[in-house]
Amino acid sequence: EAQLLESGGGLVQPGGSLRLSCAASGFTFSSYAMTWVRQAPGKGLEWVSAISGSSGVSTYYAGSVKGRFTISRDNSKNTLYLQMNSLRAEDTAVYYCAKGFNAFDIWGQGTVVTVSS
Amino acid sequence: QSALTQPRSVSGSPGQSVTMSCTGTSSDVGGHNYVSWYQQNPGKAPKLMIYDVSKRPSGVPDRFSGSKSGNTASLTISGLQAEDEADYYCCSYAGSYTFVFGGGTKLTVL
């Protein structure tokens, strides 16, 4: 069974950094593009970033995080990452990793990021 | 990139059909066939219900169907069941390898 498991969330001060991880299992991780989606408390879903499959040479970002967040992958560890720098209060959300690029067919359970002083 | 426009809520009785809309622009919904729909129950991760406008992943009941006309995509649920009560989000390719979600529609089964 295909599964995704996020980790790395927590409480961080404004301006701080955090790295999220997403461990994949049950499918050939390297073959698929992967995506990060977030959901602020009581709000809707927001597409954050995506990375191409295989070597992950292509990365894409929402305007709201471009220049602050970096997506990457380690296919040898079946793991997706999201490095988040210069965090702001508005980055507070549940962060989900999801399998796919045009549509997201497998989702993790999410990890909570809270940016507050 | 502005969020796609979805009605905040829709409702229907068991057995009825409901349709919810997702309105964007010619740069997103109207310009591409990468529209997907997600069901989300409280405290849970979203679940893919429709992709590429009208395709259903395996395991999704055929009561769920998707369509698109111009800049508006629609999700129709026929034979409404109590278990369908959830939040529904649409998502569309928005160009430049980015995607945009709608604000979500809360479906209430009366």
Side-chain angles (χ1 to χ4, degrees):
Chain A
E1 179 189 3
Q3 288 188 337
L4 297 169
L5 183 63
E6 301 95 336
S7 60
L11 174 64
V12 61
Q13 292 188 338
S17 298
L18 213 54
R19 189 178 83 155
L20 306 183
S21 299
C22 170
S25 61
F27 65 98
T28 306
F29 177 72
S30 60
S31 296
Y32 294 94
M34 297 293 294
T35 296
W36 287 98
V37 175
R38 68 184 180 183
Q39 187 169 33
K43 302 296 184 182
L45 301 172
E46 180 186 9
W47 182 89
V48 173
S49 180
I51 187 168
S52 60
S54 188
S55 58
V57 293
S58 298
T59 58
Y60 313 101
Y61 300 93
S64 58
V65 306
K66 198 167 188 177
R68 300 188 300 123
F69 290 12
T70 302
I71 190 172
S72 62
R73 64 192 299 159
D74 185 337
N75 291 335
S76 69
K77 296 182 178 179
N78 289 343
T79 302
L80 175 72
Y81 302 100
L82 187 67
Q83 177 68 44
M84 305 186 296
N85 298 331
S86 303
L87 282 162
R88 307 166 180 167
E90 53 265 37
D91 295 319
T92 294
V94 176
Y95 283 74
Y96 296 100
C97 63
K99 169 178 165 283
F101 185 77
N102 298 334
F104 319 120
D105 60 349
I106 305 294
W107 294 66
Q109 86 293 343
T111 187
V112 178
V113 173
T114 302
V115 184
S116 175
S117 55
Chain B
Q1 183 66 46
S2 299
L4 305 175
T5 300
Q6 296 184 249
R8 295 200 65 166
S9 64
V10 297
S11 62
S13 300
Q16 288 186 332
S17 291
V18 295
T19 296
M20 58 189 77
S21 61
C22 170
T23 301
T25 69
S26 58
S27 296
D28 39 61
V29 175
H32 311 280
N33 286 325
Y34 294 129
V35 176
S36 52
W37 289 88
Y38 301 86
Q39 177 191 68
Q40 187 179 36
N41 287 298
K44 301 294 186 182
K47 174 186 177 183
L48 177 66
M49 305 303 285
I50 296 289
Y51 67 100
D52 292 355
V53 176
S54 60
K55 297 177 182 177
R56 265 181 296 106
S58 60
V60 173
D62 58 7
R63 302 185 294 103
F64 290 82
S65 62
S67 62
K68 189 184 83 167
S69 177
N71 296 337
T72 298
S74 298
L75 175 69
T76 298
I77 308 172
S78 59
L80 203 59
Q81 299 181 3
E83 66 201 49
D84 299 332
E85 185 163 294
D87 293 328
Y88 290 84
Y89 293 91
C90 61
C91 181
S92 172
Y93 180 67
S96 300
Y97 302 100
T98 64
F99 288 79
V100 61
F101 280 92
T105 296
K106 181 177 180 58
L107 170 63
T108 300
V109 180
L110 302 171

